[in-house]
Amino acid sequence: MPHPPLSIDDLHAMDRVGALALSPDGTQVVCSVTRSDMAANRLHSALWLMPVQGGRQPRRLTTCGERDGAPAWSPRGDRVAFLARRTQDGEADKTPQLYLIAPDGGEARRASRFAPGITSFRWMPDGRRVLFAAWTWPELSAPRDRARPARPPVGAPGNLGRPGVSLKGAAAQARRHQAFVDRKETGYATSEALYRHWDQHLPQGRVLHLWLLDVDSGRAVDLFEGTALELPRTDAGPAAYAPHPDGRSVAFVHDPDVPPRPAGRWALSAIELRSRRVRALVDDPQWNVGAPAWRPDGRALAFTAAPIGQRHTALTRLSLLTDDDHWRCVSPEAWDHDVDGPLRWTADGSAVLFGAEERGRRHLWRCDVASGSIDRRFEGGWLQGFDLQQGQLVVAADSAMHPARVLALDTAGGPPRRLERFNDALLARRQLGVQREVTLTGALGDPVQLWLTFPPGVDPDRPPKQKLPLLHVLHGGPYSAAGDSFSLRWNVHVLASRGHVVAQVNFHGSSGFGFNFRDSIMGRQGMLELQDIEAASDWLLQQPWADPARLDASGGSYGGFLVAWMNGHATPGRYRRMVCHAGVFDRVATFSADSFLHRPRDLGAFYWDDMAKVLAQSPHGAANRMATPTLVIHGAKDYRVPDCNGLAYYNTLKARGVEARLLWFGDENHWILKPQNARQWTDEFLAWIGPPPSRC
């Protein structure tokens, strides 16, 4: 008997490999592993320890926490720090705190008691202190006559120690946090432009500050106290700051605008820990920078830089700041790829490693900083994460045929070594469909990539006599891609389990195909993409295994926008059914999104300046032609594409007498994350596109 196909319950039974970190000597790797509890409707994360050279099985390092994550080894390798919310000594954490555990086991110890909570952290080189980012009420340390001090001049100390400044520290933050938690009113009042992101209202009076924690005493000091400096509100991760190898200063990225605005740029500065003197490193309105990483000798700083002054869609390049305060782009302009952080230096300081996409895959690349030459160090699949210590390299990578695995790569070469077998037993009991990659001619005569995933048991070279239904799955972004990756939400094997051939088009605008391909859709969104999708549909319908009466389309986020766009612009009756998840329906109403200043740049106009141009790129402008039955899915906490879009789309279809169904989640954001909600999402999706065809 053949094994059954993959199901949504199988996805939630899998171990999900997350962040990983190598020990300083390169002999052990610790990573977070998340498991889903469908019955309890929640996720659990723990840390696992794996020997790099083998000989011992991976072992679970933490057991008492529910969401242990973001592991990082101390510089001496004697402790692993991580973030968690736990109960220890009768005290329950209300916000994420820093914990320490010895790699040889034992119980973890809470190292922080910072009431507002810690969002990310990095070890200082001395192994005694930790940098961390936290949402902070800045006025608690402001001059008494001003609520928000002006930014101190670059090269001068902050307001620390000046007359009229009250330095209140972590204790004042704790008191304010408790008052915030205990408040009875629920209204949100703000004068900020950058006031909410993804599914949270920001900053609610707070900004992201950089703090310094003594891990033995628990004493925390606000490094930005008395200044108007703040870390980027939309990215509180550890890639935003980097301690110098000598431990005397910290490089960090920040928004130079006061107050910050959506669609702004980031600058790069450094702060001396003793004097609190702030020095600008890179602050150019023509460039957006990020992901600082010091060379091991401390005499150069690598970072990413995008020439947004030329075009807001410009690709990010690897750049280098030397000790003479001059910076330059290292990666050649002709290397038509987007450099992603984080960055990792080789031990000798000659090269930098980073991830970058290329034609539906994400590889690990190595750039020689002297020559600018770039080559692949590890080939995906899809690189999810990596770390490098003492010449030892570990990666977490998946492919369309398996979830993320942890692999070790030796400097001497040879094939990667698997360090774990978390999901092998489950996958051995399931049958996955064959995947193929096709290139076809799309809009503007450009080559367009198409991924195909066949139903389990179907050989595309010897297809069954019975025709197979077809399902487009359109990716979001648009600056992302359908890749050789194992999605835990839009999993192509689960979607193909009812007999569909799943097609994923990397339409114009997709990432990993160069700048021109990415930039081509600006000011005409939906137009080139539809030509690509239609070209893919034409190709699909020409195949001997295709059922021309069962061509469906689905998509989420930007893919949801495209589905709604197709409903009003494709030939009526061409598509049998559609699924629109979190898609833009009304471009004007979507000005309520957290990205309200990003989208006009993509559209090429503000709606009050050129309403005709905006409406020409809005699905609702063609509502009078919409006739395809559609399942509309949306979450109430979606601030990227507010749910007014999904509700208006559903209501429009109902008002027009078009068959439609609504699945609305009051407790989910742009993604559907709770296990039982994910199961409902999948059940509704598969039921909408219909049961598999009857077997003769």
Side-chain angles (χ1 to χ4, degrees):
M1 291 292 291
H3 292 301
L6 198 69
S7 70
I8 183 63
D9 287 341
D10 293 329
L11 286 185
H12 283 268
M14 290 181 175
D15 291 329
R16 309 177 185 186
V17 172
L20 51 79
L22 261 173
S23 60
D25 61 5
T27 63
Q28 300 183 91
V29 60
V30 63
C31 72
S32 63
V33 178
T34 300
R35 291 175 172 171
S36 177
D37 186 338
M38 184 66 76
N41 200 30
R42 61 186 180 185
L43 303 175
H44 297 275
S45 299
L47 303 186
W48 283 71
L49 192 68
M50 306 172 197
V52 171
Q53 295 301 327
R56 299 193 311 276
Q57 293 296 316
R59 65 179 176 87
R60 186 166 173 169
L61 184 61
T62 63
T63 58
C64 298
E66 289 191 1
R67 299 296 297 271
D68 300 339
W73 290 83
S74 67
R76 292 191 295 267
D78 58 336
R79 294 180 285 189
V80 175
F82 62 97
L83 295 180
R85 290 177 61 175
R86 293 176 155 216
T87 297
Q88 191 169 91
D89 299 328
E91 180 184 351
D93 297 327
K94 297 179 180 178
T95 55
Q97 299 298 320
L98 186 80
Y99 281 81
L100 304 174
I101 190 170
D104 55 0
E107 187 52 68
R109 175 181 70 85
R110 183 192 289 119
S112 69
R113 284 180 170 79
F114 186 74
I118 295 175
T119 61
S120 66
F121 74 95
R122 294 188 73 165
W123 282 96
M124 291 292 291
D126 59 17
R128 297 183 294 102
R129 298 172 297 169
V130 162
L131 288 166
F132 71 85
W135 290 102
T136 304
W137 281 274
E139 72 275 9
L140 296 185
S141 60
R144 293 189 180 96
D145 59 345
R146 299 179 67 182
R148 285 288 302 276
R151 189 182 312 282
V154 170
N159 293 326
L160 297 171
R162 293 183 178 178
V165 178
S166 174
L167 304 182
K168 301 178 181 179
Q173 296 294 327
R175 288 191 294 271
R176 178 65 63 85
H177 176 74
Q178 189 60 50
F180 180 79
V181 170
D182 293 341
R183 74 194 190 284
K184 303 302 181 185
E185 66 275 10
T186 59
Y188 180 73
T190 185
S191 299
E192 302 267 4
L194 184 52
Y195 66 97
R196 68 176 188 170
H197 178 67
W198 200 253
D199 60 0
Q200 299 182 60
H201 282 90
L202 305 175
Q204 294 193 257
R206 291 171 285 179
V207 297
L208 272 172
H209 275 196
L210 194 59
W211 291 69
L212 188 63
L213 171 73
D214 184 293
V215 296
D216 292 324
S217 69
R219 182 174 181 267
V221 177
D222 183 358
L223 297 180
F224 291 173
E225 195 168 41
T227 78
L229 289 168
E230 59 175 276
L231 298 175
R233 297 179 184 179
T234 57
D235 187 355
Y241 49 94
H244 192 279
D246 66 12
R248 297 176 181 175
S249 63
V250 178
F252 60 94
V253 294
H254 59 97
D255 193 326
D257 293 330
V258 181
R261 291 170 57 82
R265 66 179 180 90
W266 295 349
L268 181 61
S269 294
I271 183 170
E272 296 178 6
L273 298 186
R274 182 179 294 274
S275 67
R276 308 293 168 83
R277 186 180 299 272
V278 178
R279 183 166 61 96
L281 301 178
V282 180
D283 188 354
D284 187 330
Q286 302 300 305
W287 292 84
N288 184 42
V289 301
W294 290 102
R295 194 166 66 188
D297 64 5
R299 299 187 62 183
L301 182 70
F303 59 97
T304 60
I308 57 172
Q310 299 175 15
R311 190 72 164 170
H312 75 280
T313 51
L315 301 181
T316 300
R317 300 173 63 187
L318 178 65
S319 301
L320 191 70
L321 176 74
T322 53
D323 56 3
D324 59 1
D325 286 345
H326 289 89
W327 73 276
R328 61 184 174 88
C329 290
V330 176
S331 57
E333 189 172 5
W335 196 73
D336 207 13
H337 299 67
D338 222 358
V339 176
D340 298 333
L343 311 176
R344 293 285 186 272
W345 284 90
T346 56
D348 63 2
S350 65
V352 175
L353 274 66
F354 56 87
E357 295 179 37
E358 183 180 55
R359 295 196 54 81
R361 293 178 173 88
R362 189 170 188 264
H363 310 304
L364 180 66
W365 305 79
R366 179 187 183 276
C367 178
D368 181 271
V369 296
S371 66
S373 63
I374 300 174
D375 56 9
R376 295 188 189 93
R377 184 64 182 85
F378 173 81
E379 190 164 330
W382 200 272
L383 176 76
Q384 299 289 351
F386 73 99
D387 201 6
L388 176 68
Q389 293 286 350
Q390 299 299 320
Q392 178 64 63
L393 177 65
V394 294
V395 301
D398 65 354
S399 80
M401 304 307 291
H402 62 77
R405 296 170 174 173
V406 182
L407 308 168
L409 288 82
D410 291 327
T411 54
R417 298 191 313 278
R418 283 281 302 278
L419 301 185
E420 46 68 43
R421 301 281 173 179
F422 285 133
N423 298 302
D424 288 13
L426 189 155
L427 287 173
R429 300 191 299 270
R430 296 293 180 267
Q431 188 177 21
L432 303 183
V434 174
Q435 186 169 75
R436 293 286 173 85
E437 179 184 354
V438 174
T439 300
L440 49 85
T441 300
L444 307 178
D446 293 333
V448 171
Q449 184 185 57
L450 173 67
W451 294 104
L452 299 175
T453 304
F454 289 85
V458 172
D459 181 352
D461 296 323
R462 302 177 60 185
K465 293 181 180 180
Q466 187 171 5
K467 302 296 186 181
L468 301 174
L470 312 170
L471 173 66
H472 278 290
V473 175
L474 305 175
H475 70 74
Y479 318 122
S480 61
D484 186 6
S485 182
F486 196 87
S487 173
L488 294 170
R489 287 185 293 275
W490 290 74
N491 186 275
V492 291
H493 297 290
V494 173
L495 299 181
S497 65
R498 299 290 182 91
H500 291 77
V501 177
V502 174
Q504 298 171 283
V505 186
N506 276 323
F507 43 78
H508 278 77
S510 300
S511 57
F513 298 85
F515 169 75
N516 289 336
F517 196 83
R518 170 177 176 161
D519 188 67
S520 63
I521 64 173
M522 296 300 99
R524 50 179 174 179
Q525 295 201 326
M527 302 172 194
L528 300 183
E529 302 93 305
L530 180 56
Q531 294 178 48
D532 295 337
I533 297 164
E534 291 284 57
S537 294
D538 290 342
W539 184 92
L540 288 166
L541 293 173
Q542 293 170 6
Q543 305 311 305
W545 35 259
D547 182 352
R550 296 193 64 185
L551 174 60
D552 300 333
S554 66
S557 193
Y558 195 81
F561 154 75
L562 288 175
V563 167
W565 179 266
M566 292 164 64
N567 205 345
H569 292 84
T571 302
R574 179 170 171 87
Y575 296 92
R576 187 186 66 96
R577 292 202 158 206
M578 293 179 171
V579 179
C580 176
H581 171 93
V584 170
F585 175 70
D586 182 340
R587 287 289 192 183
V588 178
T590 309
F591 213 71
S592 59
D594 61 358
S595 55
F596 68 96
L597 289 182
H598 289 267
R599 300 289 80 86
R601 299 190 304 185
D602 296 342
L603 299 173
F606 286 99
Y607 71 86
W608 56 83
D609 290 330
D610 193 341
M611 179 66 84
K613 186 170 187 176
V614 171
L615 291 182
Q617 301 171 76
S618 183
H620 86 288
N624 63 313
R625 297 193 294 272
M626 292 181 175
T628 305
T630 302
L631 169 64
V632 179
I633 308 173
H634 229 110
K637 297 180 68 177
D638 186 350
Y639 300 158
R640 179 54 46 94
V641 180
D643 68 340
C644 60
N645 284 273
L647 297 176
Y649 186 24
Y650 174 75
N651 292 350
T652 297
L653 295 175
K654 283 296 185 182
R656 285 184 47 75
V658 178
E659 182 185 1
R661 184 170 176 83
L662 175 67
L663 178 60
W664 180 85
F665 295 94
D667 57 349
E668 297 282 8
N669 58 31
H670 202 55
W671 299 335
I672 308 304
L673 300 177
K674 293 182 174 63
Q676 293 193 21
N677 286 347
R679 176 193 278 168
Q680 183 185 15
W681 185 97
T682 304
D683 289 345
E684 289 278 353
F685 189 113
L686 295 178
W688 182 258
I689 61 175
S694 59
R695 301 296 180 186
C696 297

